[in-house]
Amino acid sequence: MTSAHYINLEQLGWPGADFDAVLAEVQAHYDDPTAYLCKNLREISSAARRGAVIIIGKLGDRRALSTLMRYVFDTPGQVLEEDARAAAMQAIIAITDAQPEDASDRRRVANFLMDMLDEPDGFVRGLVMDGLGKFGSRRALYALKNAWNDEHQFVADQARQAYRALSERADSLPSLDEDRPHRDVEGAVLLDRIRFANIKELQPYLHELAKRPNALELADRFLSSGTKRNHYVLERLPSLGDEAGRAVVANHLEMASEETDIAASLSVLAHFLDGDASAPECEAIERGLGSQSAHITRAAILAAGVSGSDRLLEGVIEALGSKELETVLAAAKAVDEALGADDSRWAEPLGQAFAPIHARRLQYEFPRDIHTEALLLRALARLADSSDAKLLNNIAFQALEGVREHRPILASALRLLHRLTPVDGLPVDARWPREHAWTLILLIPYSDDAIRRQLVDLLSRGAPENFERGVQILVELARSAALETRVQLVELVARSGDPSSIEYLYGFARDPAEEIVEAAADALRRRQVGVEQMPADVVDIFMTLDERKNRKYYKAEFERLAEEAARRQPDKNGRTFDE
């Protein structure tokens, strides 16, 4: 075996990935496959991370518990991490449940699960309930009972099942006093335990710190008295809900010298900022932007995005050109956070930064570039009302290249186009070129119903006359679309100028829905198709519709034709009326 063998763990995120085959490859080339996978867990994409977590669960090594718990605890509310976090929680429960009844891991994980009771993801929270039912303490009984009325039915059901299971062995559970030995310790002792306790036992002490009435004072004392584990305490400050925590972070940032300390301080500072960074805070963020540490730079970028400083935002946009994908993604998140409707001055530099990111996404389809592109499009959509519409329009259609499988980009690009295209439609001379209409039409077969509705709505607003191609796709969609969308599709088929569109309109005229019949009648009138050219059954349908609507469109047309025929009819002298 060797540790130099390269294994592409990104394949774990590919469709149809064979997890067992990758596991066999890791076991064949690494003496410690669990250590290898845990080491690389944060280095791979979100999609691949789910597969890596599943493999770690298959290995069943208790040493992976700390890595898995830290990952789940650190990533709440991150949409791209949802699947991997759920898989990690399942692995934590499976690995722990396999340990002996008296194993210390069971109590450690039970404490971790109690810290996860406020987890925002309903599925993960349901798994927390399941885990507490397997190896929770007496303290968990109260938490499980409180969750019976959870807004997520899955969580409520799991809580009831877990409560029943835990109640059956309540006599063997430790008392509440035994369960929380750190509750009554002095502040100084608690800080010492945070600083020096076994890393596996750290979370309960941090949780206890956050509950203390003087938590902010204790945190300030801790940060001023050393460097070990400062970032753990810093990360707790936003949850205290005290704005004074901002001053604690800013002061610590001035003194911090360790990379992890500085990065954590900048990250926490970003939680407190709301476009109101002070001059010293801006200087600290600017130092971070110029750091040689990618970790510090990314934290500084996120803080710059909420600083309210144009100078710092220039540095963020410059970071979009970095070759480090994580740095570029951080910059995109900062831009998305920073820009509002009045920031149109940034549209052009963002457009310039967008082009290379888009080109790289088309070539490599890195998940981080997909996320980055979607975030930039979302930010640009907020600038649509006050920016160069032509520039943003081109960016939106550029983003739609190769986008079939990337819904975040597709949704963001369509949002941008909706902001650029008036509800009552573009003027005829300002409508898109045919190629743009074709781009949207060709996406229809590969999209879900919600996206299809958006595509049709945009086409009805911006598609040019006589765009010709794709009519068959529109007609096929009209067979199953909602009524409002079908009415728009009738108008689009008429607008297409396709030679077969008249026949399709006759088909729509035979539809059982009166709204579709009327849309077809209006379209045929705009196309100047007279009743003498229409099939007899279609004319009858339109005449009936006129009678119901108390109109005389087609009756008047028949009267006109009859009058013209009479004028052409010769009299007894062989002369017509006109003669």
Side-chain angles (χ1 to χ4, degrees):
M1 294 188 191
T2 174
S3 60
H5 181 79
Y6 173 73
I7 298 175
N8 181 14
L9 294 179
E10 289 296 336
Q11 65 183 297
L12 291 168
W14 297 348
D18 187 340
F19 295 164
D20 290 333
V22 177
L23 173 58
E25 186 179 4
V26 172
Q27 289 175 317
H29 291 93
Y30 287 88
D31 294 314
D32 192 341
T34 299
Y36 170 73
L37 291 167
C38 288
K39 178 182 177 182
N40 288 281
L41 189 63
R42 298 294 187 101
E43 306 301 320
I44 54 181
S45 65
S46 301
R49 192 147 39 240
R50 173 181 174 273
V53 166
I54 290 173
I55 289 179
I56 290 172
K58 288 175 178 286
L59 289 168
D61 191 330
R62 58 172 295 277
R63 293 175 302 153
L65 287 172
S66 295
T67 298
L68 293 174
M69 287 191 291
R70 185 69 191 177
Y71 164 62
V72 173
F73 193 83
D74 285 348
T75 53
Q78 297 186 20
V79 175
L80 293 178
E81 301 293 334
E82 286 179 351
D83 291 345
R85 293 180 78 244
M89 186 61 81
Q90 289 172 322
I92 290 167
I93 292 171
I95 293 172
T96 307
D97 201 29
Q99 304 301 311
E101 286 292 332
D102 58 349
S104 61
D105 284 335
R106 297 177 75 89
R107 179 168 178 170
R108 179 162 67 100
V109 172
N111 287 332
F112 160 74
L113 294 175
M114 292 298 294
D115 287 339
M116 292 292 295
L117 287 171
D118 294 327
E119 161 64 35
D121 185 312
F123 185 71
V124 173
R125 196 161 68 252
L127 294 174
V128 168
M129 303 302 157
D130 177 51
L132 288 174
K134 289 181 167 64
F135 32 82
S137 65
R138 190 185 301 273
R139 180 165 56 111
L141 287 168
Y142 298 95
L144 290 169
K145 191 169 185 177
N146 287 336
W148 286 1
N149 296 318
D150 193 280
E151 60 181 339
H152 288 268
Q153 190 61 45
F154 174 69
V155 178
D157 291 344
Q158 291 296 312
R160 290 178 184 277
Q161 294 175 25
Y163 184 87
R164 285 196 296 270
L166 200 58
S167 297
E168 290 175 358
R169 58 179 197 280
D171 292 341
S172 63
L173 297 176
S175 68
L176 291 177
D177 290 337
E178 294 172 319
D179 193 40
R180 290 293 299 275
H182 51 275
R183 172 175 287 169
D184 299 321
V185 299
E186 292 293 331
V189 176
L190 178 61
L191 296 185
D192 282 344
R193 291 186 180 179
I194 293 172
R195 186 84 76 189
F196 303 112
N198 186 310
I199 192 68
K200 296 178 180 179
E201 304 294 338
L202 183 59
Q203 287 302 326
Y205 294 121
L206 290 170
H207 193 61
E208 178 62 27
L209 171 67
K211 288 188 171 185
R212 294 289 176 97
N214 62 337
L216 196 59
E217 177 193 342
L218 291 173
D220 195 21
R221 284 168 54 188
F222 185 90
L223 296 171
S224 304
S225 61
T227 58
K228 186 178 180 181
R229 296 182 178 169
N230 281 350
H231 61 287
Y232 289 109
V233 172
L234 283 165
E235 289 164 0
R236 290 280 170 159
L237 291 181
S239 67
L240 300 182
D242 189 337
E243 281 298 314
R246 176 171 172 174
V248 173
V249 178
N251 291 336
H252 182 66
L253 191 54
E254 291 299 319
M255 300 182 295
S257 57
E258 298 286 331
E259 175 185 0
T260 304
D261 247 14
I262 296 171
S265 298
L266 287 168
S267 295
V268 175
L269 178 61
H271 283 280
F272 289 103
L273 294 178
D274 187 18
D276 58 349
S278 65
E281 288 169 339
C282 286
E283 290 173 6
I285 295 169
E286 192 165 18
R287 288 196 301 272
L289 290 175
S291 171
Q292 296 299 308
S293 162
H295 191 194
I296 293 174
T297 300
R298 289 195 293 270
I301 285 170
L302 294 172
V306 288
S307 68
S309 164
D310 281 0
R311 188 179 77 253
L312 293 178
L313 190 53
E314 286 178 5
V316 170
I317 293 178
E318 184 178 335
L320 289 170
S322 170
K323 294 184 179 179
E324 293 286 336
L325 299 189
E326 286 287 357
T327 299
V328 176
L329 178 56
K333 290 178 179 177
V335 165
D336 182 46
E337 184 71 31
L339 297 188
D342 298 328
D343 293 316
S344 58
R345 62 192 179 280
W346 300 107
E348 187 172 345
L350 278 182
Q352 294 170 354
F354 179 86
I357 294 169
H358 171 71
R360 188 169 61 220
R361 189 265 292 176
L362 287 179
Q363 184 173 3
Y364 300 109
E365 296 196 336
F366 292 135
R368 289 173 181 82
D369 279 336
I370 293 168
H371 192 186
T372 296
E373 192 168 334
L375 288 170
L376 292 181
L377 289 166
R378 190 165 72 178
L380 287 167
R382 292 197 291 275
L383 311 182
D385 294 338
S386 55
S387 300
D388 180 353
K390 184 177 180 181
L391 168 67
L392 299 188
N393 208 65
N394 288 337
I395 289 174
F397 278 104
Q398 186 181 359
L400 291 173
E401 297 177 71
V403 79
R404 290 178 185 173
E405 298 177 0
H406 307 313
R407 198 179 194 280
I409 297 177
L410 176 57
S412 298
L414 294 183
R415 183 185 297 114
L416 175 55
L417 284 176
H418 269 99
R419 294 292 300 274
L420 294 167
T421 315
V423 174
D424 54 356
L426 292 169
V428 174
D429 59 354
R431 289 182 181 170
W432 308 324
R434 293 177 178 181
E435 293 79 5
H436 287 175
W438 299 340
T439 296
L440 296 187
I441 291 171
L442 292 175
L443 287 170
I444 288 175
Y446 304 96
S447 304
D448 58 34
D449 288 342
I451 293 294
R452 285 176 178 172
R453 286 194 296 272
Q454 293 184 57
L455 291 169
V456 173
D457 186 47
L458 280 169
L459 285 164
S460 69
R461 298 186 193 188
E465 298 290 337
N466 302 318
F467 57 84
E468 296 179 352
R469 286 172 51 184
V471 175
Q472 183 59 49
I473 294 175
L474 301 177
V475 172
E476 188 64 31
L477 177 59
R479 301 181 196 281
S480 58
L483 182 60
E484 182 181 355
T485 301
R486 293 173 67 206
V487 171
Q488 292 176 308
L489 288 165
V490 172
E491 191 276 332
L492 284 170
V493 169
R495 196 190 302 181
S496 71
D498 185 283
S500 60
S501 60
I502 299 297
E503 290 299 323
Y504 288 133
L505 290 174
Y506 292 155
F508 288 129
R510 299 180 179 103
D511 195 277
E514 184 175 290
E515 292 86 349
I516 303 301
V517 176
E518 184 148 18
D522 291 342
L524 287 166
R525 278 199 301 276
R526 287 196 303 274
R527 292 287 295 271
Q528 298 182 344
V529 179
V531 293
E532 72 276 13
Q533 300 168 260
M534 297 180 188
D537 66 320
V538 171
V539 175
D540 289 341
I541 292 169
F542 288 165
M543 290 285 284
T544 304
L545 179 65
D546 269 5
E547 290 176 6
R548 282 205 304 275
K549 296 286 186 178
N550 195 24
R551 301 183 309 207
K552 295 182 179 180
Y553 293 149
Y554 290 96
K555 185 177 180 181
E557 179 76 359
F558 271 118
E559 290 173 351
R560 182 185 63 78
L561 290 174
E563 183 180 337
E564 288 180 358
R567 292 168 72 95
R568 291 193 298 270
Q569 185 69 29
D571 60 15
K572 60 182 180 180
N573 296 318
R575 290 184 302 176
T576 65
F577 178 83
D578 291 334
E579 294 174 335

